[in-house]
């Protein structure tokens, strides 16, 4: 009874594996058709109305069947990697499963980076690949690749379909597996002769896989023990990861934080789960997290980890990470428990369910911890070590990315905008300075760090949320990795806005070389090729270039008020570093470049050289 | 330490690759591996022996459990269990030594399965210790070739299948 009610309350993705479409009630049920038609009928029954892909010889029959579909819109990317990132951005923005259709061989291998990206960030995708006919598999035939074998380590599950009779069941299972439990990408490889066989289409609603039963309810005894431990803690912190967004637990995280007066910190994947302006939220932790968030996490005596996996980018040197903290670790994936940091109280389950039960404990008599002193300490760190200070970079003629991101942040509405990033310095500035207060409004490749993700992902997000303004913060390196997708945006009238934080360098690696490798800039200078404004214009985008601080506001305004896709090439000094930074392998407490107002308004870096010869 | 894992999986192509790839990726060497169908033809049992410390071992089993094709994992290491391995030895055995070699085979309850002009092929099953002992004795005559199946194991406790 309560079970059903609760299931309905949660985001549909988190628990219910059922089709969001008509399922077995679809009008094609029971009809005789080809395997290719069964693929399309399955997607329709599943409730898929949008797929991203690229055709080819061994996907041609599925594409032929797709030609008749009145339900499914197909978006032609300009590269299969772009198609996967587009489906991924769509999935992250909407919470639905993203669907990809590509051909065999190179079409399939081009999806690999996209699949790995989705796998690392637990994004639900179904990737359908054409394959050479069954009889030719293993003969090195034209456009053959063992995509099933190649993707084994980076998929949640995969199938090689050997009969048209298996297509409907396989796709039903694929969607079920992709979106339930800890979500992830599922690959379905369909040989072209299977697509031509005939079958009777039967789509089922429920899936029963004996070997796949995710745990949703947290263990009641563990939850009780966790409440007791929290109650006794003096310096507790809620460490919130991407799982909070996946499981739709954002409001519960805030509710717990406020009820118990516990500060929150978030991983990169957790940004947006807790309102940025919530006074108890300290935002990003880790390598480029604020000094105050890192200090709070590191000096805590209890970490309540909510759907977070203790990535090395968060913990720094693990042996000196939060040495006094006990850990209550809530995750739907049992393999995350004890993987990096041993948990004192592990709770395996859906975060929403677990937090609900945990809140109930405190509503039914368990005392909230006394965090007054702790919060006073935290507030003091927050005042003393701000992420940025306006008085820095005052006399420069150049655009300062921190300031530009703050500017952009102020111009974006929390409800009606989505920020997507590429990977690198600009990604960290965006994460640090663009405030996000709603889940699924900050989209970034966290785990794999895939350059080339941002532009296609923003296109996918815009397809999923046409009512929202989608802004992609890019770098001049990353953008070039999938720049061809600008065509996809133009042709489909997708008005994405791209800000190229352009320093003519592979900025993050350049920064590491500057800070850690004696300024030996091996292979990190990009020069000023291409001209991004002309490139964008070649794709029929509107574009402009800015290089002076006073041009920023106007350009952003023009960009945000434009109707079509728009690119701002924002030139910044090559030498600008992302601060603070915890050097790889160092402890969280050893950040460099943090501002300390207790001494003077300056970054604590020794060798920060001046901006290069006036280049902006 | 060494762990004997009995992994019940779907009997389908690609399943063994998934299991082995997962273990290899975490940097563990598989000491022994054998696979075959079970009483239920839709399921296979993989017996794996790996050498790993506790935290790493826990991670392997959790990751294996996550595979959709894995039904169940039993760690037999600390339970009462039976293990067996089958070995075929091809041993130098000229006519004058033949009876000696056969005698050794008999002592180990092994059987001679092929006889050539100068060699014998012996089939033996048993625990690792027994088979090693036999190998040592046969070495005196010169072993031309050995092939072994890898271990299979089963718990003595019949309550969990």
């Amino acid at each position: 009874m309560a079970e059903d009610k609760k299931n309905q309350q949660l985001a549909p993705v988190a628990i219910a594996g059922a089709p969001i479409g008509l399922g077995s009630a679809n009008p094609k049920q029971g009809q005789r058709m080809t395997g290719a038609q069964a693929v399309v009928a399955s997607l329709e029954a599943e409730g898929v109305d949008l797929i991203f892909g690229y055709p080819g010889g061994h996907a041609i029959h599925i594409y032929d069947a797709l030609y008749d579909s009145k339900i499914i819109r197909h978006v032609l990317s300009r590269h299969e990697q772009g198609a996967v990132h587009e489906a991924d951005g769509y999935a992250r923005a909407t919470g639905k499963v993203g669907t990809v259709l590509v051909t065999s061989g190179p079409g399939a291998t081009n999806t690999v980076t996209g699949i790995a990206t989705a796998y690392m960030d637990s994004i639900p995708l179904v990737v359908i690949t054409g394959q050479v006919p069954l009889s030719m598999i293993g003969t090195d035939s034209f456009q053959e690749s063992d995509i099933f074998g190649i993707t084994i380590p980076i998929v949640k599950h995969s199938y090689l379909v050997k009969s048209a009779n298996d297509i409907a069941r396989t796709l039903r299972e694929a969607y079920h597996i992709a979106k339930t439990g800890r979500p992830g990408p599922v690959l379905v490889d369909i040989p072209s002769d299977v697509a031509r066989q005939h079958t009777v289409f039967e789509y089922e609603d429920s899936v029963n896989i004996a070997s796949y039963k995710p745990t949703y309810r947290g263990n009641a005894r563990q939850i009780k023990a966790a409440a007791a431990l929290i109650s006794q803690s003096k310096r507790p912190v809620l460490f919130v990861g991407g799982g909070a967004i996946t499981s739709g637990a954002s409001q519960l995280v805030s509710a717990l934080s406020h009820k118990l007066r516990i500060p929150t910190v978030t991983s990169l994947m957790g940004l947006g789960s807790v309102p940025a302006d919530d006074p108890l939220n300290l935002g990003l932790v880790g390598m480029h997290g604020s000094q105050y968030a890192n200090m709070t996490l590191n000096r805590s005596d209890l970490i309540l980890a909510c759907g977070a996996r203790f990535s090395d980018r968060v913990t720094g040197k693990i042996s000196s990470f939060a040495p006094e903290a006990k850990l209550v670790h809530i995750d739907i994936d049992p393999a995350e428990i004890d993987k990096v940091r041993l948990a004192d109280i592990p709770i395996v389950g859906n975060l929403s369910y677990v937090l609900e039960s945990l809140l109930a404990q405190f509503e039914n008599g368990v005392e909230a911890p006394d965090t007054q002193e702790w919060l006073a300490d935290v507030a003091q760190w927050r005042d003393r070590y701000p992420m940025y200070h306006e008085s820095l970079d005052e006399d420069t003629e150049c655009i300062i990315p921190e300031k530009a991101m703050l500017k952009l942040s102020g111009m974006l509405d929390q409800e009606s905008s989505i920020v997507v990033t590429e990977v690198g310095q600009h990604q960290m500035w965006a994460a640090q300075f663009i405030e996000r207060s709603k889940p699924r409004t900050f989209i970034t490749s966290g785990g794999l760090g895939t350059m080339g993700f941002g532009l296609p992902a923003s296109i996918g997000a815009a397809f999923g949320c046409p009512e929202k303004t989608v802004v992609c913060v890019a770098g001049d390196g990353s953008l070039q990795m999938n720049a061809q997708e600008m065509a996809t945006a133009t042709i489909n009238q997708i008005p994405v806005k791209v800000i190229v934080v352009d320093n003519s360098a592979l900025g993050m690696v350049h920064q590491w070389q500057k800070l850690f490798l004696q300024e030996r800039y091996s292979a990190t200078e990009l020069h000023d090729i291409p001209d991004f404004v002309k490139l964008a214009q070649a794709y029929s985008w509107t574009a402009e270039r800015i290089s002076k601080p006073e041009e920023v506001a106007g350009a952003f305004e023009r960009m945000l008020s434009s109707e079509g896709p728009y690119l701002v090439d924002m030139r910044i000094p090559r030498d600008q570093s992302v601060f603070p930074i915890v050097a790889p392998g160092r402890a969280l407490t050893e950040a460099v470049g943090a501002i300390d107002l207790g001494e003077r308004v300056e970054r604590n870096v020794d060798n920060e050289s001046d901006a290069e010869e006036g280049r902006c | 330490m060494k762990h004997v894992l009995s992994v019940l999986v779907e009997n389908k192509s690609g399943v063994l690759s998934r299991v082995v790839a997962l273990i290899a990726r975490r940097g563990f060497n598989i000491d022994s591996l054998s696979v075959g169908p079970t009483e239920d033809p839709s399921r296979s049992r993989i017996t794996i022996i790996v050498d790993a410390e506790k935290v790493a071992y826990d991670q392997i089993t959790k990751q294996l459990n996550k595979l959709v094709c894995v039904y169940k994992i039993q760690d037999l290491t600390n339970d009462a269990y039976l293990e067996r391995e089958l070995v075929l030895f091809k041993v130098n055995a000229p006519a004058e030594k033949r009876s000696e070699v056969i005698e050794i085979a008999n002592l180990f309850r092994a059987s001679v399965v092929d006889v050539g002009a100068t060699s014998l092929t012996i089939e033996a099953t048993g625990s690792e210790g027994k088979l090693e002992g036999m190998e040592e004795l046969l070495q005196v005559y010169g072993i031309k070739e050995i092939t072994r199946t890898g271990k299979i194991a089963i718990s003595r406790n019949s309550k969990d299948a």
Side-chain angles (χ1 to χ4, degrees):
Chain A
M1 32 121 232
E3 189 86 4
D4 283 348
K5 208 176 125 212
K6 284 232 175 79
N7 282 353
Q8 281 166 11
Q9 283 168 358
L10 285 171
V13 190
I15 302 289
I20 57 171
L22 292 172
S24 59
N26 79 85
K28 293 180 180 171
Q29 193 80 344
Q31 286 179 18
R32 195 171 156 74
M33 58 179 71
T34 65
Q37 288 167 328
V39 171
V40 174
S42 297
L43 300 185
E44 290 175 350
E46 193 62 41
V48 176
D49 54 11
L50 182 70
I51 69 175
F52 300 87
Y54 206 104
H58 289 298
I60 200 166
H61 300 298
I62 301 174
Y63 268 91
D64 188 60
L66 198 57
Y67 201 60
D68 292 328
S69 177
K70 292 175 182 65
I71 295 170
I72 302 169
R73 176 176 181 188
H74 175 268
V75 176
L76 178 65
S77 66
R78 288 299 179 273
H79 187 290
E80 288 88 351
Q81 185 188 351
V84 186
H85 292 323
E86 277 150 18
D88 181 321
Y90 169 85
R92 291 184 204 231
T94 61
K96 296 182 196 165
V97 180
T99 306
V100 179
L101 173 60
V102 297
T103 192
S104 65
T109 54
N110 278 344
T111 65
V112 169
T113 303
I115 294 172
T117 305
Y119 183 70
M120 286 289 264
D121 289 345
S122 310
I123 306 303
L125 293 184
V126 170
V127 179
I128 301 167
T129 52
Q131 181 56 277
V132 302
L134 281 172
S135 59
M136 292 174 81
I137 288 181
T139 64
D140 302 322
S141 58
F142 179 65
Q143 292 197 331
E144 179 183 359
S145 68
D146 174 17
I147 196 63
F148 180 92
I150 289 167
T151 55
I152 279 180
I154 53 166
V155 292
K156 184 170 173 188
H157 196 50
S158 49
Y159 297 88
L160 171 60
V161 183
K162 291 183 173 165
S163 160
N165 295 330
D166 295 337
I167 284 176
R169 185 192 48 80
T170 302
L171 283 166
R172 183 71 270 281
E173 281 187 17
Y175 279 90
H176 177 86
I177 290 170
K179 63 184 172 181
T180 53
R182 180 180 183 170
V186 177
L187 181 119
V188 181
D189 199 19
I190 305 179
S192 57
D193 54 344
V194 172
R196 297 178 72 178
Q197 288 169 4
H198 281 80
T199 183
V200 175
F201 182 66
E202 294 285 353
Y203 209 70
E204 284 171 31
D205 294 320
S206 62
V207 165
N208 188 5
I209 307 169
S211 52
Y212 176 73
K213 304 275 179 206
T215 307
Y216 293 117
R217 295 263 165 226
N219 180 301
R221 209 190 305 158
Q222 296 287 83
I223 292 171
K224 219 171 191 173
L229 199 64
I230 294 166
S231 178
Q232 291 157 17
S233 68
K234 301 252 180 319
R235 304 189 305 278
V237 59
L238 274 159
F239 169 36
V240 190
I245 293 169
T246 312
S247 64
S250 297
Q251 286 180 352
L252 286 163
V253 171
S254 289
L256 190 71
S257 159
H258 279 268
K259 182 161 182 65
L260 307 185
R261 306 291 302 158
I262 299 181
T264 57
V265 297
T266 64
S267 70
L268 185 64
M269 291 301 296
L271 286 175
S273 57
V274 192
D277 59 357
D278 182 332
L280 283 171
N281 181 22
L282 306 175
L284 188 68
V285 279
M287 184 175 267
H288 294 293
S290 66
Q291 183 84 338
Y292 51 86
N294 283 351
M295 286 174 81
T296 303
L297 185 56
N298 218 50
R299 296 194 185 179
S300 64
D301 69 349
L302 177 86
I303 298 172
L304 180 57
C306 303
R309 64 181 177 85
F310 293 88
S311 142
D312 53 284
R313 285 299 189 263
V314 162
T315 65
K317 188 172 160 195
I318 191 67
S319 57
S320 41
F321 172 71
E324 289 164 33
K326 295 212 158 149
L327 172 61
V328 175
H329 196 167
I330 309 169
D331 206 292
I332 197 157
D333 179 0
E336 287 304 338
I337 310 287
D338 293 346
K339 185 180 83 178
V340 174
R341 168 86 175 219
L342 292 182
D344 296 277
I345 301 180
I347 304 175
V348 174
N350 175 282
L351 188 60
S352 289
Y353 282 1
V354 174
L355 289 183
E356 236 169 44
S357 312
L358 200 54
L359 266 167
Q361 291 286 316
F362 291 98
E363 274 152 15
N364 296 323
V366 178
E367 241 177 82
D370 178 4
T371 59
Q372 213 174 340
E373 239 174 83
W374 171 234
L375 288 176
D377 285 346
V378 171
Q380 206 191 331
W381 298 331
R382 198 172 192 157
D383 289 341
R384 177 166 174 174
Y385 307 103
M387 193 76 122
Y388 188 68
H389 199 276
E390 287 292 324
S391 67
L392 285 171
D393 314 305
E394 237 172 9
D395 47 354
T396 172
E397 299 280 292
C398 299
I399 295 173
I400 299 304
E402 287 95 328
K403 288 184 177 174
M405 292 297 116
L406 283 167
K407 182 85 215 162
L408 178 64
S409 180
M411 297 170 84
L412 295 175
D413 178 64
Q414 295 294 345
E415 299 279 346
S416 66
S417 67
I418 295 175
V419 173
V420 184
T421 78
E422 291 279 359
V423 167
Q425 284 187 313
H426 64 274
Q427 176 190 31
M428 291 300 118
W429 284 316
Q432 289 176 329
F433 297 107
I434 303 179
E435 296 201 336
R436 296 280 82 190
S437 295
K438 298 282 166 191
R440 304 193 180 280
T441 62
F442 186 77
I443 293 175
T444 195
S445 168
L448 198 67
T450 306
M451 291 172 69
F453 168 82
L455 174 63
S458 59
I459 293 170
F463 266 109
C465 304
E467 73 290 357
K468 293 187 181 171
T469 303
V470 179
V471 179
C472 174
V473 179
D476 48 319
S478 288
L479 187 65
Q480 291 185 63
M481 286 211 180
N482 271 316
Q484 78 287 345
E485 295 307 316
M486 281 198 257
T488 312
T490 313
I491 289 162
N492 294 286
Q493 294 172 314
I494 292 298
V496 288
K497 317 298 178 195
V498 175
I499 299 167
V500 187
V501 181
D502 183 356
N503 61 356
S504 296
L506 297 173
M508 189 56 92
V509 181
H510 195 266
Q511 167 176 347
W512 283 34
Q513 289 168 335
K514 175 174 150 189
L515 296 175
F516 314 131
L517 294 170
Q518 299 80 45
E519 306 187 33
R520 287 157 55 84
Y521 298 122
S522 178
T524 50
E525 292 178 8
L526 287 177
H527 310 286
D528 296 339
I529 302 289
D531 178 329
F532 285 104
V533 173
K534 283 186 186 161
L535 181 68
Q537 285 166 346
Y539 284 107
S540 297
W541 285 38
T542 312
E544 63 175 297
R545 176 172 300 113
I546 54 173
S547 55
K548 299 210 161 39
E550 61 271 21
E551 295 172 318
V552 173
F556 286 0
E557 251 159 48
R558 285 188 292 280
M559 175 187 82
L560 292 173
S561 59
S562 69
E563 294 208 338
Y566 199 105
L567 179 142
V568 176
D569 181 21
M570 185 175 82
R571 312 272 284 180
I572 65 157
R574 184 177 280 167
D575 249 17
Q576 200 75 15
S577 292
V578 178
F579 289 125
I581 178 172
V582 177
R586 305 298 284 269
L588 269 195
T589 47
E590 298 177 276
V592 293
I595 294 162
D596 182 355
L597 295 183
E599 292 170 8
R600 53 208 157 125
V601 189
E602 204 169 79
R603 298 199 185 272
N604 63 344
V605 187
D606 303 330
N607 66 336
E608 194 184 3
S609 47
D610 294 316
E612 231 169 76
E613 321 85 62
R615 188 215 167 272
C616 288
Chain B
M1 74 178 269
K2 286 207 172 161
H3 293 268
V4 181
L5 292 179
S6 178
V7 186
L8 192 62
V9 298
E10 244 181 306
N11 183 7
K12 243 187 178 176
S13 64
V15 170
L16 186 62
S17 313
R18 276 187 220 278
V19 170
V20 173
L22 194 151
I23 296 172
R25 203 189 140 230
R26 306 263 159 188
F28 301 106
N29 196 19
I30 296 174
D31 281 6
S32 154
L33 181 142
S34 64
V35 56
T38 61
E39 69 285 357
D40 174 351
S42 71
R43 297 182 179 196
S44 296
R45 189 178 297 284
I46 306 178
T47 308
I48 308 170
I49 298 174
V50 285
D51 196 354
E53 295 310 312
K54 184 176 183 316
V55 174
Y57 165 77
D58 286 347
Q59 188 54 215
I60 298 183
T61 49
K62 282 175 180 172
Q63 293 287 351
L64 281 176
N65 259 318
K66 260 171 82 172
L67 293 179
V68 176
C69 57
V70 170
Y71 291 101
K72 190 178 176 186
I73 302 175
Q74 267 182 292
D75 183 358
L76 300 175
T77 318
N78 298 318
D79 298 341
Y81 71 99
L82 297 168
E83 64 165 49
R84 288 290 181 270
E85 190 172 6
L86 186 144
V87 184
L88 296 173
F89 296 102
K90 194 181 284 175
V91 189
N92 276 329
E96 67 274 18
K97 298 280 185 192
R98 194 174 286 155
S99 57
E100 282 178 38
V101 176
I102 291 171
E103 197 173 325
I104 290 170
N106 288 339
L107 282 171
F108 284 91
R109 295 188 197 167
S111 47
V112 175
V113 290
D114 190 27
V115 184
T118 58
S119 68
L120 281 178
T121 301
I122 299 166
E123 171 195 310
T125 59
S127 65
E128 194 174 5
K130 171 183 162 180
L131 296 172
E132 274 171 10
M134 189 171 172
E135 187 180 335
E136 220 168 277
L137 287 180
L138 292 174
Q139 227 129 39
V140 177
Y141 304 92
I143 298 176
K144 297 169 90 165
E145 214 177 322
I146 293 182
T147 173
R148 47 207 305 171
T149 56
K151 270 169 228 165
I152 54 168
I154 198 165
S155 70
R156 280 185 186 273
N157 191 340
S158 58
K159 73 169 183 268
D160 37 23

